[in-house]
Amino acid sequence: VEISAADAERLQLEDGALVCLRSRHGEAVLPAAISNRVRAGELFATFHTREVFLNQLIGPVQDEITHTPEYKLTAVRIDRRSG
């Protein structure tokens, strides 16, 4: 998951650290990638890979026009994965 340098510093995360993303719909564990492509307070990750199925974090609400999940509106908590 891409995270801003400011957020990584605040959360004491180094590049490659495993983090757990949690929403009210599910959770996923993946490595953090410090990036200047995202703003502080935002995260970016591809919506799924074979190893991590991020769609489980997305709720059932769909865009009224495209009928796709509201990918850009999902609130998550990010925590360093221990162990």
Side-chain angles (χ1 to χ4, degrees):
V1 60
E2 292 183 34
I3 185 171
S4 72
D7 286 339
E9 182 177 345
R10 181 177 54 79
L11 296 168
Q12 300 178 351
L13 296 174
E14 62 277 351
D15 201 50
L18 282 182
V19 296
C20 182
L21 299 180
R22 290 183 178 90
S23 76
R24 60 186 173 156
H25 305 287
E27 66 181 52
V29 175
L30 57 163
I34 299 172
S35 173
N36 62 2
R37 297 188 327 160
V38 295
R39 295 183 286 190
E42 297 179 358
L43 301 170
F44 174 80
T46 57
F47 65 92
H48 76 278
T49 65
R50 289 181 184 209
E51 298 79 24
V52 178
F53 190 65
L54 284 180
N55 281 350
Q56 67 186 335
L57 301 179
I58 309 300
V61 178
Q62 294 184 346
D63 180 273
E64 293 178 13
I65 297 170
T66 63
H67 304 288
T68 58
E70 290 189 324
Y71 298 117
K72 295 181 180 184
L73 299 176
T74 302
V76 295
R77 176 183 170 143
I78 182 171
D79 294 301
R80 173 186 296 277
R81 172 130 179 180
S82 58

